[in-house]
Amino acid sequence: MEASWRQVAGGRGRARGRATAAPSGNGIHLRGAGGGREKGSVGAVPFGASPGGVATSAASGSRHSPAGSQALQTPAASELMSQKKFEEIKKANQAAARKLVEEHFSSSSEEEGDEDFEGKQGKIVANTFITYTTQTDGDTRELERTKQYVNEAFQAGAMTCLICIASVKRNQAVWSCSGCFCIFHMPCIQKWAKDSEFLVSSVTDDDFGKRDYPWPCPKCRFEYKRSETPSRYYCYCGKVEDPPLDPWLVPHSCGQVCEREFKPSCGHKCLLLCHPGPCPPCPKMVTTTCYCKKAKPIPRRCSAKEWSCQLPCGRKLLCGQHKCENPCHAGSCQPCPRVSRQKCVCGKKVAERSCASPLWHCDQVCGKTLPCGNHTCEQVCHVGACGECPRSGRRFCPCQKSRFSLPCTEDVPTCGDSCDKVLECGIHRCSQRCHRGPCETCRQEVEKHCRCGKHTKRMPCHKPYLCETKCVKMRDCQKHQCRRKCCPGNCPPCDQNCGRTLGCRNHKCPSVCHRGSCYPCPETVDVKCNCGNTKVTVPCGRERTTRPPKCREQCSRPPTCHHTSQEKHRCHFGSCPPCHQPCQKVLEKCGHLCPAPCHDQALIKQTGRHQPTGPWEQPSEPAFIQTALPCPPCQVPIPMECLGKHEVSPLPCHAVGPYSCKRVCGRILDCQNHTCMKECHKVTKIDGCTGKNKAGPECLRCEEGCSKSRPLGCLHPCILPCHPGECPPCVQMLRIKCHCKITSLYVECRKITTADVNEKNLLSCCKNQCPKEVLLEPLVLLDRLGLS
């Protein structure tokens, strides 16, 4: 993934965007980053380069360009731009890291997509075979071979053109061989046919381009005529030209009923929808009898209409004496297996021989007397008459010039003439007189030409003359010289191995040296899943680009964490996904089991890494590492009472201990009037037991004054601090006037407040004589005197 600042509109491909700055005064060389990018990426402009693909430096621009000073940016703006670019690169790297983690440790979405694709593929295959399975009542055993071709049409990388070793895609024109049903790209097979015809016809220059030479299939070597060279793209059944791409059909299929003739021909046609590969056996029902025609006709599948009733055949064998005892079978009966005593052809010997071969020859000479009466037959055991004596009649001398009539008991004499038979050299004749036996070797000296015709030499006629000159003509492979001594010009085919690396890049051509392209590699490779139970067979060379098949088996790798078994997941490549089982380790401090998910291989971001100096510097260390983390604190709830014994709350095991509930203490202080206002705290017991509401030594000391209500009429505060019980009597002295308002009296406050009316009158009396003369009514007087 490239950041936006590295992308420049215009300039696609490998050669675009490359540039090298001319050396400037400061010695800086800047290069473009045009090569090695992904397909479809745009040209990259290095830091400081111009979008046109020419890298320049600020120093050189300012030095050589008139507008260089205007192009310069302030240091603050340049630093801001660099920081912005750096942040973009950082975000891009983080996004790439997150994508890598998601792809590496999560496969649920892929599996769901695979399941959807497999369901869709299953529907397409079922629709393709439905017309066949309705005839066979759902039996698909005969469809396995055809089903394999159909499944390969969906399997990524399984359909491969053996000529170019590339995948065959849905939207590409293809051609299928009628012999091996292998699929090739249309341009590839057309070029193959053209090259094959050219190579074969160019061997014979006389009829170059005139004869109709065949061309072979690259895989099975099935030969096609020149007129059968494919020029148009048809579906598998050949009905539709340029079949449209339909995602709900088998790739390159027209979707119609195949209707190709079955092989071997039975008069019926294929019932499947247009499909790759061979047609399955005919599913039609026919009524037929067995091989020996003894059983009653029964209905059977047309593809298996020939059957045996397993009764003895009973047909008479070729020996004419016995009958075939084998079970009902197809074709001719086997030779008679019995043994009998039979005479040889001449009748001299009798031997135990197979009844199937009554005629045989012994190894004795016939020995019968010939009609001449002088000689016996020298033929080995034979049929018929021995014939006339070979020495009877007119016979020639050894040189075949003279003829004599002699009895068969006399030998023919030599005639005395010269032999004149042509010698083995084929040029000269024998100069000896008529003789018996072979003629001698020709000994005449002649001037002979060597086999290649380049040299002459005088030598005996019977000796062959081969020069030492090596032929420099090219053999039919057009790569190697003949190098045969004294070659007459008919150079033999090249006998060296081709040895060229095939398109698969794994093997070399095993054929003898040849012209043109080598045949595709015939080997196949099994691309297996990680456990090896699921595989897909692809042509050799495609194993490097073919994705391994999805395996339905469970991963059998041992766990990498402390658990005895892994979580169930499917077979895969790479590291297993993180374990999500409960840790269940015994915690050291409390003895509880750790309930957190397994954290033996936690993926954490690496800290303390080297900070890049700029966006051009690539990170040298991975952003995430796997490491074992310690167990988290124990979270098991433990009931715990707070310090002030206000409540019992469940606390995490790791945090168990004295705690404050944050409430006000609320215990009654010693003053019995106020409560402790401190936050919940520890209270020490006194004298062995203390109530929950009794304040302890840790509680606050009441420092307030007495706030109890005073007696009615007392306006003085309590002289004691806040205290339990009743306040002490007020002993404050009050200054009051006596009744006569002349004298001031001092009386304690408690006396005034606790006195009734009479006592108050007495307390207000100064005991002195009243100086006022007042006429009192009799009742008032009596009242004062207490006599009323």
Side-chain angles (χ1 to χ4, degrees), residues 105 578 598-605 624-629:
F105 293 100
C598 183
H599 44 81
D600 286 353
Q601 291 184 333
L603 190 68
I604 62 173
K605 187 174 181 180
F624 296 90
I625 58 172
Q626 285 184 337
T627 184
L629 298 178

Side-chain angles (χ1 to χ4, degrees), residues 161-166 192 218-219 221 479 497-525 539-544:
C161 177
L162 295 180
I163 300 176
C164 63
I165 315 296
W192 176 272
K219 183 177 181 181
R221 314 295 173 91
K479 294 179 182 178
N497 288 333
C498 176
R500 287 186 291 180
T501 302
L502 299 177
C504 65
R505 305 297 179 188
N506 295 329
H507 304 97
K508 294 186 177 180
C509 181
S511 306
V512 294
C513 192
H514 57 86
R515 297 171 64 186
S517 302
C518 298
Y519 277 93
C521 181
E523 302 292 333
T524 57
V525 180
C540 182
R542 288 290 298 171
E543 68 276 6
R544 291 185 288 269

Side-chain angles (χ1 to χ4, degrees), residues 197-198 200-213 226:
E197 294 171 2
F198 174 79
V200 174
S201 60
S202 62
V203 175
T204 55
D205 296 333
D206 298 337
D207 57 354
F208 178 76
K210 298 179 181 179
R211 293 182 57 186
D212 187 7
Y213 289 101
R226 178 186 292 180

Side-chain angles (χ1 to χ4, degrees), residues 462-711:
H462 70 279
K463 293 184 177 180
Y465 175 38
L466 299 176
C467 67
E468 297 296 324
T469 304
K470 294 183 179 180
C471 180
V472 295
K473 289 185 178 180
M474 302 299 290
R475 296 196 179 186
D476 58 351
C477 66
Q478 298 298 316
K479 294 179 182 178
H480 304 103
Q481 292 182 342
C482 176
R483 306 303 294 170
R484 189 172 59 161
K485 291 184 178 180
C486 198
C487 178
N490 56 341
C491 301
C494 186
D495 56 355
Q496 298 187 33
N497 288 333
C498 176
R500 287 186 291 180
T501 302
L502 299 177
C504 65
R505 305 297 179 188
N506 295 329
H507 304 97
K508 294 186 177 180
C509 181
S511 306
V512 294
C513 192
H514 57 86
R515 297 171 64 186
S517 302
C518 298
Y519 277 93
C521 181
E523 302 292 333
T524 57
V525 180
D526 291 338
V527 178
K528 299 181 179 180
C529 64
N530 189 44
C531 67
N533 292 331
T534 306
K535 64 181 180 180
V536 58
T537 301
V538 298
C540 182
R542 288 290 298 171
E543 68 276 6
R544 291 185 288 269
T545 57
T546 302
R547 290 183 60 184
K550 294 292 182 181
C551 181
R552 293 291 180 183
E553 301 294 331
Q554 298 294 333
C555 179
S556 58
R557 294 183 184 178
T560 55
C561 59
H562 67 277
H563 290 104
T564 57
S565 61
Q566 290 199 87
E567 289 181 300
K568 290 184 178 181
H569 60 280
R570 292 180 184 175
C571 171
H572 61 92
F573 288 92
S575 303
C576 290
C579 178
H580 294 93
Q581 301 179 71
C583 178
Q584 296 297 307
K585 286 184 179 179
V586 179
L587 300 176
E588 296 180 357
K589 295 183 178 180
C590 61
H592 292 124
L593 298 180
C594 178
C598 183
H599 44 81
D600 286 353
Q601 291 184 333
L603 190 68
I604 62 173
K605 187 174 181 180
Q606 191 174 7
T607 58
R609 298 172 57 245
H610 171 68
Q611 294 295 331
T613 57
W616 53 84
E617 183 176 346
Q618 297 296 328
S620 58
E621 297 177 351
F624 296 90
I625 58 172
Q626 285 184 337
T627 184
L629 298 178
C631 291
C634 182
Q635 299 293 332
V636 175
I638 303 295
M640 196 67 186
E641 193 175 27
C642 67
L643 293 172
K645 302 184 183 300
H646 302 110
E647 63 179 21
V648 176
S649 299
L651 296 182
C653 182
H654 72 279
V656 167
Y659 78 100
S660 173
C661 65
K662 305 301 181 181
R663 299 180 183 178
V664 177
C665 177
R667 291 175 179 268
I668 300 175
L669 300 178
D670 293 339
C671 67
Q672 300 295 318
N673 299 320
H674 301 97
T675 57
C676 180
M677 300 303 295
K678 289 177 65 176
E679 187 181 283
C680 178
H681 59 89
K682 183 180 178 181
V683 179
T684 305
K685 294 181 179 181
I686 302 176
D687 298 335
C689 65
T690 299
K692 291 186 177 180
N693 295 326
K694 183 67 174 176
E698 293 83 6
C699 292
L700 290 175
R701 299 297 177 185
C702 185
E703 297 180 354
E704 297 184 10
C706 181
S707 60
K708 293 180 180 181
S709 59
R710 303 301 294 166

